Amino acid sequence: MIGSATLKLAAQQSISSLKLSEWRALLMALLLAISIASLMAVLGERIERTLMRQGSELLGADLILSSSRPLNPAAITQAQQLGLEHSEVTQLATMANFEDQFLLVTVRALSAPYPRGQIELDQPADELPAPGEAWAEAGVFERLNMQPGDAITLGNQQFTLSRLIQSAPDRGRGFISFNPQLIVRQGELESTGLFGPSARLRYRQLFAGDPQAIAQFEQSLRPGLETGQRLISLGSEETQQNNALSKASSYLRLGALFALLISAMTIFLSLRRFTYSQYKRAALLKSLGLSDRELLKLYLAQLGFAWLFAATLGCALAWLLERSGLSLLQGLLPQPVPEASPWTYASGPLLGFSILICLGLPALLKLQQSNPAQLFQGQSGQLRWGSNLPYLLALILLLAMTSLYLNSLSLTLLLASVLLLLGSALGWLGAGVCARIARQLANRYPLGQLLLSRVQQQQRWYRIQIPVISLLFALLSINLIALNDLLGRWQSQLPEDTPDHFLINIQEWEKPELQTLMAKHQLDSELWPIYRGRLTKVNDRPLAEVLTPEQLAQPSLKRELNLTSATGIPEHNKLIAGEWMSKGGVSIEQEEAAELGLEIGDRISFDIAGREVSAEISSIRAVRWDSFQPNFYFIFSPGILEEFSASYLTSFHLGERSAGVSRELIQNFPTLTLIDVRQLLDQLQQLLSRLSLLSSLLMLLTTGAGLVLLYVTLTQELEQRRYENALLLSLGASQRQCRQLDRMEMGLIGLVSGGLAVLLTELSLWPIHQQLLKLEATVHPSLWLVLPVLSALLFVVISSVSHRQQNLSQSYQTLTSN
């Protein structure tokens, strides 16, 4: 326990220490660490929950149980016991008729409103269509030239189209999800006569509620899933929205980790300076009767006061920034934004306390052993149990706390290991490069000899400071580049001419007339031949003899695949290995090749229309599945599949011309299936724009914090230089020469640190892009020129600002008076 007298003395020391730049820098760094950690945790979790909820609203639920057969109502009973909301959906594709015009549509029959999300209509209406009424998407009105109030025929029953669906969740899965959709009340479909033996119905039970209850409910359902049943959640969906959310979540964690590392580095340097400045005070207190244990309690209490101050002010600052950030996003995020968990609000102060204790305790142990005799001899105390062991234990504890905060041990260990190993190497390298450059300048400039002398004297400080500064610039560069690459990927994912319509089931005899119509409307799109085939053999051996049980469980082996042939590689594909296109060969998508263990030179066989077709794998491709273009696992070279009949597939962008061109296509080619994905594109565009703004906001916060901490660190170091400058003044140097010397030194440190930061950035970006953001890593040539120059200029500017705040004459007087 710490006594009241010790607490009173610690409080007095905390106030008096405000005169020390080291203590002010420590308070500033701790304040920023707690503010950033709290802000990142709370704002990140609230926005992530909002985006996840938005994803759930696109699904219509948190969890979906889907089947091709009627579902057992026992699941609903269990869901009710857990307090979950639920709804049932029956979905089928059928032909709709209006005045002898036919259109393939998808009908959804709802038993209750969706648990998540809502159906947006052109006019207010009840939660579900009235009996005898249906709500329809714009594609139904456009392609059949209908108006609200017209009656459409489904089987034996007519339905009045009373409302226009502007957007709706839960479109279903597969190609039927892209058909123009109708929504009716559950039970209305039975009178249509469409529930025959050949009807391809899909049944879904949708559930939503508390995340823990959903997780418990999902775990109880999985063991009892029957053939044809499937559980669907936002996390399990391999959709573009889920990929975007996953990458944004990874970026949030990355930004939080960078901010914490930046704050921890500044706290570490401030603690070292503060401990060094306290040797005389600690020795004096010990000479007045304080024991080592009491001295340790005193300084621990002083750190406690610092933490209490920073935690109180930091939480208030984080709350203000959180509200401001949410206000900026108010028009873009669905309201209300969910609250964060209580642990999240406390995580910032707790993490700041952990950083302070982990980094401060080893320094206090060293401070504890100071004594007057050592001070008179110009010595410092040594730790009794090894000078590096406390820092090692502190590092382990800090990594553990950070991994709990980020909820990712692998991410924490990966980046921390890279930064620590490279930081150690960069310290020696940076100090050596500075000394080498200073020697070159010593022979060319009058102040060069003084600069060389200072650099040689500060080698130990350089080995500590240069890695920290290099890491700081590298963290900011990595954060900026990762964000730019992420935003660039999102923007390139959905360019303005992204196809918003797919046309399938095109027959050979329809191609000439269809191509004429497409040329009329300036639709530049390729017709891809489609062949249906099932993979049966590898190297002329049955799959069961070649593949492992895990490989045999791949979904692509349980169904017929869409195969095609082409003379050139598609624009949205990239050749990874092999040659395009070897005669008689086949190209395979890289993930499919990895999952099945296939390599170039393997011979694969397909069953197409009852006949076996074999080809040798000649190339492996990377496919952009999120390009809204026709994509295939296997592409054959021309000539192999020509003996088989094929249908054709194409995609194109219509935009505002959708209504007229779609109607003309359906009228001229009634047997074709036109798939409109505009609603899906609109929803995805909204999601990506929100993620982009969020990521930019977090990037600005992290960069701003990094620059503030850099300024605090450098001004703190420049204050240490004022006594050296005062000594130079006493030897005849001018104030101008002292300022120039400081600027030369700071510019040199900035230049070298910037260059090393570029190297560190390039080395660190590869695993971040490959493993975390799932993007292709690239080299950034412009960074090698821009970052060293900018860092040197920044250091010179900070030096100039610091000199304006200092009075060298006063420092000189202080030195001479002492």
Side-chain angles (χ1 to χ4, degrees), residues 306-572:
W307 172 80
L308 186 62
F309 167 78
T312 304
L313 190 58
C315 287
L317 182 61
W319 184 83
L320 291 174
L321 290 174
E322 173 205 349
R323 298 297 166 178
S324 300
L326 290 178
S327 298
L328 291 175
L329 298 174
Q330 186 173 7
L332 295 173
L333 289 177
Q335 302 296 321
V337 177
E339 291 293 335
S341 62
W343 154 250
T344 307
Y345 284 95
S347 61
L350 289 178
L351 190 63
F353 181 79
S354 301
I355 293 175
L356 186 62
I357 295 301
C358 289
L359 298 179
L361 187 57
L364 295 183
L365 288 174
K366 191 171 184 178
L367 183 65
Q368 183 186 23
Q369 300 173 37
S370 63
N371 59 68
Q374 289 176 329
L375 290 176
F376 290 135
Q377 299 169 8
Q379 299 174 354
S380 60
Q382 299 295 324
L383 288 177
R384 298 190 183 100
W385 45 300
S387 59
N388 294 324
L389 183 57
Y391 287 102
L392 179 60
L393 296 177
L395 174 63
I396 295 174
L397 181 59
L398 183 60
L399 289 176
M401 291 297 300
T402 305
S403 64
L404 289 175
Y405 172 78
L406 298 177
N407 195 27
S408 176
L409 178 60
S410 60
L411 173 65
T412 304
L413 291 177
L414 172 65
L415 293 180
S417 299
V418 171
L419 294 176
L420 286 175
L421 291 175
L422 289 178
S424 178
L426 291 177
W428 291 92
L429 179 60
V433 171
C434 285
R436 188 176 184 86
I437 295 176
R439 290 191 189 96
Q440 297 296 323
L441 296 176
N443 300 325
R444 300 183 180 182
Y445 299 98
L447 292 177
Q449 289 293 339
L450 288 176
L451 176 63
L452 177 60
S453 176
R454 178 175 287 186
V455 170
Q456 290 174 340
Q457 293 173 359
Q458 299 292 335
Q459 281 290 293
R460 184 179 179 184
W461 179 81
Y462 283 4
R463 286 194 291 269
I464 297 173
Q465 193 75 28
I466 288 179
V468 172
I469 297 172
S470 299
L471 289 174
L472 173 60
F473 279 120
L475 291 175
L476 295 177
S477 301
I478 292 169
N479 203 6
L480 176 61
I481 293 174
L483 173 61
N484 287 337
D485 290 348
L486 191 60
L487 296 181
R489 177 63 180 271
W490 285 342
Q491 293 168 357
S492 64
Q493 179 177 324
L494 296 176
E496 293 183 359
D497 59 347
T498 297
D500 53 13
H501 288 76
F502 286 79
L503 197 60
I504 64 175
N505 296 331
I506 305 168
Q507 303 304 314
E508 184 71 34
W509 56 271
E510 294 175 310
K511 286 175 57 180
E513 187 178 352
L514 177 62
Q515 288 174 330
T516 301
L517 190 149
M518 294 175 66
K520 168 186 172 184
H521 293 285
Q522 298 180 344
L523 301 178
D524 184 14
S525 184
E526 182 177 358
L527 295 177
W528 292 87
I530 303 296
Y531 308 88
R532 301 285 293 174
R534 185 186 296 269
L535 183 62
T536 57
K537 293 181 181 180
V538 174
N539 293 325
D540 299 324
R541 296 171 59 191
L543 298 181
E545 298 180 6
V546 181
L547 304 182
T548 65
E550 292 78 12
Q551 291 172 332
L552 289 172
Q554 292 298 324
S556 60
L557 301 182
K558 297 181 179 180
R559 68 181 192 273
E560 288 187 330
L561 300 175
N562 286 328
L563 312 175
T564 191
S565 62
T567 56
I569 187 171
E571 292 183 0
H572 49 284

Side-chain angles (χ1 to χ4, degrees), residues 660-719:
V661 177
S662 298
R663 190 181 305 115
E664 187 175 353
L665 280 169
I666 294 300
Q667 290 175 350
N668 293 346
F669 304 95
T671 61
L672 302 188
T673 301
L674 182 63
I675 300 172
D676 186 350
V677 296
R678 285 178 298 168
Q679 180 178 337
L680 178 61
L681 280 172
D682 291 341
Q683 291 174 333
L684 191 57
Q685 286 278 18
Q686 285 185 349
L687 179 62
L688 294 182
S689 65
R690 291 165 182 168
L691 292 178
S692 300
L693 184 58
L694 165 63
S695 302
S696 300
L697 176 62
L698 294 181
M699 172 62 204
L700 289 175
L701 292 174
T702 305
T703 304
L707 293 177
V708 169
L709 292 176
L710 176 65
Y711 177 78
V712 170
T713 302
L714 288 183
T715 52
Q716 175 185 339
E717 184 59 33
L718 286 168
E719 282 197 28

